[in-house]
Every structure is written in structure tokens, then in C-alpha cells.
Amino acid sequence: EPEVTQTPSHQVTQMGQEVILRCVPISNHLYFYWYRQILGQKVEFLVSFYNNEISEKSEIFDDQFSVERPDGSNFTLKIRSTKLEDSAMYFCASSEGRAKSIQFTPGLFGEGSRLTVL
Amino acid sequence: AQKITQTQPGMFVQEKEAVTLDCTYDTSDQSYGLFWYKQPSSGEMIFLIYQGSYDEQNATEGRYSLNFQKARKSANLVISASQLGDSAMYFCAMKDDYKLSFGAGTTVTVRA
């Protein structure tokens, strides 16, 4: 069964350092997402990406965050200068269609990348 | 903007019994979809079940069923014959244009 894969599974970094989280979405999916879950809290949407550009982003997704699809398979989330409050689980997801479309698949999630900022 | 409310922070259920997890939502859209995900202690998000707003029947997937009451804007998850492996956090979510919006989650603990 196809799956979304994420690396690393866990990363520990010092405050102020740059972090890149990587995701390989399902191959025929066109929409890609990053979500964040601070420990013990709900899952929050960060950004959606389609056709090589951001289609929607939340207020959490400020200038320190960026996403790109550098090579047609990977989908990355970069945090430019990490802060303590960036410590969270980051989930990548992908789907065939836009959320509101009939073709929308459930949004298959990767296993998450746990980021710890010290 | 969509809003999902899960009012039960935690629930205990005896093994082999059924448990109902509440979810209410707020939307002005006529066409929408609702999801339930399971998050075990290992952290991954596992899709369980989906209900479309125009689906005439309640969704079912094995031991999971969704009690969809459109007029009340509720989409409760029913887990029948609970197993120890069902102990996890459960999230209700609604699709909103380009993303999913999640509720706060309900922690389910199954007792032997």
C-alpha cells in the first residue's frame, strides 16, 4: 500500500538553527500539506502546496517557514531559525485532489517528524 | 472558517464494550466531509473513517461507525467491541478547501 514517508523521525536542534524536514508524498498525489502538533495539543494546519506553489497557509506559517518541492519527489519544510516553541511533531500529508473536491482522498499522513528545539 | 468541537478530553471503556466519541462541527457549506483519525502513543495519524455530507447512509468501516446527524451537525464515532489496541487519541476533522481542520481530540483508554 502506498504511503507517505518522512525523515528524520526525530531531530534535536539548538535554538536559532535551521531545520529541514523531508517528505516523500504518494507518487500520483498532487496536493501536499504540512501540519504541526505541539505535544498534547491538536493538529494544526501549516501549509498546502499545489502545482509548485503555496495554495493556502495558516497564520502559524510565518516568514521563518518555507516549503519547496526541489526534485519532483521530495516535499520539504524548512524552518529558518528555530525557536523553542517550534518543538512539535510535524506531519506531512498528500492527496489526489483539493480538499473540497470529490476526488479528495483522506489525506494520507506520514508518521511524523518530531522536532525538539533546545 | 470551519470549526470542530470535541468535548470529551478523555474516556475510559471496558474491553469488548462500545464507546461513542462526540464530534460537532460548524459550517455554512452545503457540501463538506468529516473524518476520524486515530493517533496511538507512537504518534502516527491513522485514517479511520469518512462521511460526506451528501452520503445518505452512515459510514462504517469494520468496528468503526459514524453516527452522522446532519441537522444537529454532529458526527460521532462509535467503536464497537473495544480492544486494548484501541487505546489512543482520536481526532475528528473536517475538510475545508485546501486543508483539514481538526478538533482537540479525545483520549480513549481501554481497560482489560
Side-chain angles (χ1 to χ4, degrees):
Chain A
E1 187 173 325
E3 58 181 22
V4 176
T5 57
Q6 289 186 240
T7 54
S9 56
H10 189 194
Q11 182 159 353
V12 181
T13 190
Q14 295 292 324
M15 192 169 56
Q17 295 296 304
E18 177 182 281
V19 162
I20 297 177
L21 305 179
R22 291 182 170 80
C23 169
V24 179
I26 294 171
S27 60
N28 64 335
H29 284 187
L30 302 176
Y31 292 81
F32 315 114
Y33 314 84
W34 283 102
Y35 292 83
R36 180 182 82 175
Q37 185 184 29
I38 295 171
L39 185 64
Q41 298 186 21
K42 71 176 181 180
V43 179
E44 300 172 293
F45 168 75
L46 289 178
V47 65
S48 61
F49 191 85
Y50 169 71
N51 200 25
N52 285 320
E53 60 183 26
I54 291 173
S55 44
E56 187 175 354
K57 62 182 181 179
S58 72
E59 58 190 23
I60 302 170
F61 194 86
D62 61 21
D63 291 344
Q64 69 160 344
F65 291 94
S66 62
V67 288
E68 65 175 358
R69 192 158 156 78
D71 57 12
S73 61
N74 289 288
F75 177 52
T76 61
L77 174 69
K78 182 192 290 186
I79 309 175
R80 221 176 314 280
S81 176
T82 50
K83 299 179 283 201
L84 295 176
E85 54 264 39
D86 293 328
S87 294
M89 181 78 101
Y90 289 82
F91 290 101
C92 175
S94 70
S95 64
E96 290 175 320
R98 178 178 164 180
K100 283 227 167 191
S101 73
I102 294 171
Q103 291 79 24
F104 179 71
T105 49
L108 295 173
F109 284 78
E111 293 191 345
S113 293
R114 185 172 297 283
L115 176 65
T116 303
V117 182
L118 303 176
Chain B
Q2 319 287 18
K3 186 178 177 183
I4 301 289
T5 302
Q6 294 180 254
T7 57
Q8 306 152 310
M11 298 186 71
F12 291 94
V13 60
Q14 206 63 33
E15 196 177 9
K16 300 180 185 177
E17 291 185 351
V19 62
T20 298
L21 309 183
D22 295 341
C23 173
T24 58
Y25 58 90
D26 185 23
T27 181
S28 56
D29 292 342
Q30 296 301 310
S31 175
Y32 51 89
L34 297 148
F35 303 79
W36 278 92
Y37 285 85
K38 173 183 178 181
Q39 187 178 41
S41 58
S42 51
E44 71 266 33
M45 294 287 285
I46 303 168
F47 166 72
L48 294 178
I49 196 167
Y50 168 77
Q51 179 84 44
S53 58
Y54 290 120
D55 293 341
E56 293 185 353
Q57 294 193 331
N58 287 342
T60 61
E61 287 287 346
R63 294 186 298 110
Y64 304 107
S65 61
L66 205 150
N67 183 3
F68 182 48
Q69 299 189 37
K70 198 169 179 177
R72 293 185 177 184
K73 294 189 174 179
S74 74
N76 299 339
L77 177 71
V78 180
I79 307 173
S80 61
S82 296
Q83 302 171 355
L84 295 178
D86 294 334
S87 293
M89 180 82 107
Y90 290 81
F91 290 97
C92 180
M94 168 180 278
K95 61 177 181 177
D96 172 15
D97 207 14
Y98 286 103
K99 66 184 184 293
L100 294 180
S101 297
F102 286 82
T106 297
T107 300
V108 172
T109 304
V110 181
R111 290 168 164 160

